[in-house]
Amino acid sequence: KTEIIEKMNYIDETKFSLDNYAIPMAIDNVPPIYKPIELIERWNKEFDNPVIETSTVTSFFEQLEANRDKLEKISGNFNGWWTSNILSYPRENDLAKKTFSNLHGSAMLDSYNSNFLSKEIQTEFERLASFDEHSGGGGVYKSEDTFEILEAVKEGFGRIHKAYHNSEKIIEAERNRIFCEGNDLVIINSLSFSRNSIVCYESNELKNKKVSITDNDNGKIVPAGVFGNTVYFGPVMIEPFSYRTFSLDYRENDSRKPEVKEGQIKIENDFYRIKLDGFGNIISVVDLELNCELVEKNKNFGKILITRQKVNPIDNLDNAPLHDELYTGKSSEMFIEDFLPGSAKYIIRKEEVGQFVEIEIEGKYRSPMKKTLFLPDKSKELYLTLKIDYLYDIGPSDFLFNEWCINSVKPEVNYTTPGKIQNLNNLISGSGKDALTVLDAIQIADDEKSVNLSFKGINLFDVASPSPFKFRKTLTETSNIYFRLLNGNMQNRFASPYLNGKPYIFSVKLSSGKKSDELFSYGKDYRFQMNAFKGKSANSSGRFHDFESTKNIEVNFLDGCMDENAQLLLKENEGKRGSLKLTGSRNTIVSICEDINKKVFFKGSCRKVSLKPFQNLIVSISKEVDQ
């Protein structure tokens, strides 16, 4: 009663112009709830005005249609549908991105491979879509039966894990039809624009080895270096829908030992001069080309903070205090502190590809967490990776954040998801009001510079103080950004049964410069990371498809093969004009479709299609024949 009367006064003050005001209610995955109907009945007996009625979705939209001339027009992106879900599933969401990358690459190869696995690819896309639509069926389970909770989580998370493992088998089968068994390293660019990226190849055979990588096209040795069980090499330039092969040779192990340092340290290349404090945090990054400091004064990049919350912070955990296993005793609300603080030991390895810095925190509990900084020599970017082997001293409602404080006053902030780029101020709060979700990249730009950050394992960020419940869209003075890593519920009551005991891995890639565009391709480059695999080809390089697009166009393979007819879904993602053009002489565009019922067919040869900002088109391509 109090809330409705307060709302009536509020809408009177704002001169609300409609006769009806919606009180939304969502019921999902539970039996019907009748309590609201009882409350409405009691209200209407007591009050003549306003009258409260139940409404279906249809009748609600009929009201909107009748009053559309009075409605204020608002456009923008809704927050991610499940943003308010405090669990956020970083590992499962990261797995979803890897699955999409595998399936996208498989669809591209399948179009080249005469569609021999099209049904299997479609099945896994549907399983992935099921997970994405509903966060894997995950949520806050109120049952007190541990086995009921486990079954619910397994059913939901099982979708993405099954899709991921199947996508790995599918892309391996697609590659095997093109490349024979061999010991060369093969890389494929499954994107529609050229790339110049660092390449990774992972194998247990590489651990502590010294290697040499040779480009089979020209016989030149490529800068490379092994860190852990992964060799990094490049950057490698590769055209759209192309492959290149490299030979891997083992060399005598380097007798030089890595440097071990404590206290403040400095590392640099031709692009950046980086300073780290004595506690494992980056306190200075100077862009040498711009002669500009990227880290805000007295702040840092990469510090791990923990925000302590009360055990029962929001209504949908109303039964949490009943579960003793959730309670840790650390219930001071909004208490922020460094997570597992201590002095840092730096292990610096200098390789041909760049410098690797392992950051180990000294102290009783140093083993759970390790940070790694990778600074390539020939690429203007740096990578910071955090690996957490297990969670220590994190309560059920405590949140871990990774702090990044960019030296920029009143910047324009844009973000990109696997959908389109959007300005932060254009966000419309949807079901979740606390943070942005399913990120690919963020851009912080002012008149002097642009800083791009892209992510792995990080889905959410806050732009206020590190709190999951105080999100702000505007950065009024400084661009202090807090990447939300995880909260304790994921390791306690609601942990995934598929990943328990496996580490959490989070990674941020930073690049800077004067240009402020191409955020979409920057984020996508990290999502579709260049990973090599073992194989052998008759040619040292080649192309699968003879077309390419501008970087703001996403190209998805829908159906058909390039030997006959192939359908492509084109999506413009940056809010500007873009295009796709055919580069070979054999194919032609047969039809273009914005409305599936209104295809535009062509007689003769059509070799280029243009897209308006945020436009989607379906394009059919065929061999050049009389149409």
Side-chain angles (χ1 to χ4, degrees):
K1 183 192 300 185
T2 301
E3 290 181 358
I4 288 178
I5 292 173
E6 288 177 352
K7 179 63 70 174
M8 287 176 61
N9 291 331
Y10 169 76
I11 62 178
D12 283 344
E13 291 171 4
T14 56
K15 295 182 171 55
F16 186 73
S17 60
L18 305 180
D19 296 329
N20 295 276
Y21 186 88
I23 306 174
M25 177 182 177
I27 302 173
D28 197 9
N29 299 332
V30 294
I33 298 172
Y34 297 101
K35 187 67 175 178
I37 297 174
E38 296 172 4
L39 292 173
I40 290 171
E41 185 178 37
R42 287 173 54 193
W43 173 275
N44 290 331
K45 285 180 179 178
E46 187 170 345
F47 296 99
D48 294 329
N49 182 37
V51 174
I52 303 179
E53 297 177 351
T54 56
S55 169
T56 63
V57 173
T58 300
S59 56
F60 170 72
F61 279 105
E62 286 173 353
Q63 290 287 337
L64 290 184
E65 181 69 23
N67 292 281
R68 63 180 178 178
D69 294 336
K70 299 179 183 178
L71 297 175
E72 181 184 357
K73 306 300 187 295
I74 300 175
S75 63
N77 273 4
F78 272 108
N79 242 338
W81 186 247
W82 292 102
T83 310
S84 56
N85 189 328
I86 65 168
L87 304 186
S88 77
Y89 314 122
R91 292 184 296 195
E92 280 77 11
N93 275 304
D94 188 47
L95 211 59
K97 289 186 178 183
K98 292 177 182 176
T99 303
F100 183 85
S101 177
N102 284 342
L103 294 177
H104 175 82
S106 298
M108 186 274 290
L109 293 175
D110 203 53
S111 184
Y112 180 83
N113 277 332
S114 301
N115 264 7
F116 89 110
L117 285 177
S118 61
K119 290 183 179 178
E120 289 82 356
I121 293 170
Q122 177 67 20
T123 297
E124 300 313 320
F125 265 126
E126 290 172 0
R127 188 174 277 117
L128 172 62
S130 174
F131 170 82
D132 286 342
E133 188 277 332
H134 211 274
S135 293
V140 182
Y141 301 102
K142 293 191 175 184
S143 170
E144 295 185 27
D145 188 318
T146 303
F147 293 100
E148 283 185 10
I149 296 170
L150 186 63
E151 285 304 310
V153 177
K154 282 174 63 178
E155 192 278 331
F157 288 142
R159 299 174 195 170
I160 189 58
H161 285 272
K162 188 171 185 178
Y164 172 71
H165 291 302
N166 288 346
S167 74
E168 289 275 277
K169 295 175 183 176
I170 290 170
I171 198 166
E172 183 179 3
E174 297 282 5
R175 291 166 176 168
N176 289 341
R177 279 178 65 99
I178 302 170
F179 302 98
C180 308
E181 289 188 15
N183 290 316
D184 284 342
L185 299 183
V186 183
I187 61 169
I188 293 175
N189 180 13
S190 61
L191 301 182
S192 58
F193 50 83
S194 297
R195 303 168 67 180
N196 190 28
S197 306
I198 296 290
V199 182
C200 300
Y201 171 66
E202 185 177 342
S203 171
N204 289 330
E205 298 174 358
L206 291 167
K207 201 165 186 68
N208 301 320
K209 296 289 178 65
K210 192 77 174 175
V211 302
S212 176
I213 304 288
T214 304
D215 188 336
N216 289 339
D217 252 350
N218 52 34
K220 292 183 178 179
I221 293 178
V222 179
V226 174
F227 182 76
N229 62 351
T230 302
V231 58
Y232 299 80
F233 62 96
V236 173
M237 177 63 76
I238 184 168
E239 294 183 315
F241 305 123
S242 297
Y243 69 88
R244 293 184 65 178
T245 65
F246 299 80
S247 59
L248 169 67
D249 298 298
Y250 292 98
R251 295 155 58 178
E252 289 187 15
N253 286 342
D254 196 338
S255 58
R256 294 176 302 169
K257 292 184 178 181
E259 296 181 67
V260 179
K261 294 185 177 182
E262 296 181 357
Q264 286 195 2
I265 68 165
K266 291 181 181 179
I267 61 171
E268 65 179 283
N269 60 9
D270 292 339
F271 307 107
Y272 294 119
R273 184 187 305 119
I274 300 173
K275 183 189 294 183
L276 294 95
D277 65 13
F279 304 97
N281 307 308
I282 300 172
I283 56 174
S284 175
V285 177
V286 176
D287 185 321
L288 298 176
E289 292 182 326
L290 299 178
N291 192 25
C292 178
E293 173 63 66
L294 302 184
V295 183
E296 184 178 340
K297 187 176 181 180
N298 298 323
K299 297 287 186 176
N300 66 82
F301 291 168
K303 178 183 282 189
I304 309 302
L305 301 175
I306 185 165
T307 301
R308 304 290 188 184
Q309 301 271 0
K310 288 185 177 178
V311 169
N312 186 23
I314 53 177
D315 291 341
N316 65 358
L317 284 179
D318 56 5
N319 66 337
L322 301 177
H323 303 292
D324 292 336
E325 70 272 22
L326 287 180
Y327 188 65
T328 64
K330 296 202 172 183
S331 59
S332 300
E333 188 172 16
M334 295 310 302
F335 176 63
I336 301 169
E337 61 184 342
D338 293 354
F339 181 61
L340 299 183
S343 299
K345 179 174 69 174
Y346 299 105
I347 304 169
I348 304 170
R349 304 175 189 272
K350 294 181 179 180
E351 301 283 351
E352 294 170 355
V353 72
Q355 300 176 68
F356 297 91
V357 182
E358 290 183 84
I359 305 169
E360 294 185 353
I361 305 300
E362 299 282 359
K364 185 177 179 180
Y365 304 108
R366 66 186 179 189
S367 58
M369 183 171 63
K370 183 179 289 185
K371 287 192 283 189
T372 303
L373 178 65
F374 172 38
L375 182 64
D377 276 351
K378 303 296 183 182
S379 183
K380 191 178 181 182
E381 55 195 22
L382 64 89
Y383 301 76
L384 184 67
T385 299
L386 171 69
K387 181 181 178 183
I388 301 176
D389 287 314
Y390 63 90
L391 300 183
Y392 174 82
D393 196 35
I394 299 179
S397 300
D398 297 340
F399 281 81
L400 278 189
F401 288 87
N402 193 206
E403 181 181 50
W404 286 68
C405 300
I406 311 295
N407 177 31
S408 188
V409 178
K410 296 185 179 179
E412 179 180 332
V413 180
N414 290 286
Y415 67 94
T416 176
T417 69
K420 65 184 181 183
I421 286 182
Q422 193 70 44
N423 186 274
L424 188 63
N425 291 316
N426 293 338
L427 183 71
I428 301 172
S429 291
S431 62
K433 296 181 284 188
D434 50 336
L436 294 176
T437 186
V438 198
L439 289 170
D440 267 357
I442 298 174
Q443 182 180 87
I444 301 99
D446 53 34
D447 295 336
E448 297 180 351
K449 63 185 177 301
S450 170
V451 179
N452 287 344
L453 304 171
S454 58
F455 316 102
K456 285 185 177 178
I458 295 174
N459 311 307
L460 308 172
F461 82 95
D462 293 77
V463 293
S465 61
S467 163
F469 307 114
K470 292 188 178 180
F471 169 73
R472 299 290 181 270
K473 293 192 297 183
T474 57
L475 307 182
T476 55
E477 296 178 359
T478 60
S479 49
N480 294 346
I481 292 178
Y482 300 88
F483 300 122
R484 195 183 311 184
L485 303 182
L486 53 87
N487 93 310
N489 267 325
M490 286 185 292
Q491 190 69 7
N492 293 309
R493 182 83 171 169
F494 312 115
S496 164
Y498 294 90
L499 290 172
N500 279 351
K502 295 189 177 181
Y504 289 87
I505 299 176
F506 307 96
S507 184
V508 179
K509 180 179 75 167
L510 176 145
S511 185
S512 61
K514 189 65 178 174
K515 288 183 67 176
S516 61
D517 57 358
E518 297 185 349
L519 178 65
F520 175 70
S521 58
Y522 181 77
K524 203 169 185 183
D525 182 70
Y526 208 33
R527 177 155 51 106
F528 294 87
Q529 189 166 16
M530 299 269 270
N531 291 312
F533 60 94
K534 283 287 186 75
K536 186 70 177 177
S537 173
N539 301 311
S540 57
S541 62
R543 288 196 69 168
F544 301 111
H545 302 303
D546 293 319
F547 56 87
E548 62 185 37
S549 76
T550 51
K551 289 188 176 182
N552 58 316
I553 302 298
E554 180 178 333
V555 177
N556 298 285
F557 290 79
L558 293 183
D559 196 11
C561 67
M562 299 307 293
D563 287 339
E564 301 167 3
N565 249 28
Q567 282 194 335
L568 307 175
L569 170 63
L570 310 183
K571 297 169 63 180
E572 199 291 311
N573 291 281
E574 292 193 30
K576 58 187 181 183
R577 300 190 71 86
S579 63
L580 175 136
K581 64 179 180 180
L582 306 186
T583 56
S585 59
R586 299 178 60 196
N587 296 324
T588 186
I589 296 174
V590 179
S591 68
I592 299 174
C593 168
E594 186 168 28
D595 181 340
I596 197 68
N597 298 312
K598 296 179 181 178
K599 290 185 179 181
V600 178
F601 291 94
F602 296 93
K603 293 181 179 179
S605 179
C606 176
R607 306 190 57 77
K608 183 177 179 179
V609 57
S610 298
L611 285 86
K612 301 174 185 176
F614 299 128
Q615 186 178 27
N616 297 338
L617 293 176
I618 296 176
V619 174
S620 295
I621 296 177
S622 179
K623 283 190 174 180
E624 202 157 14
V625 295
D626 292 334
Q627 300 298 324

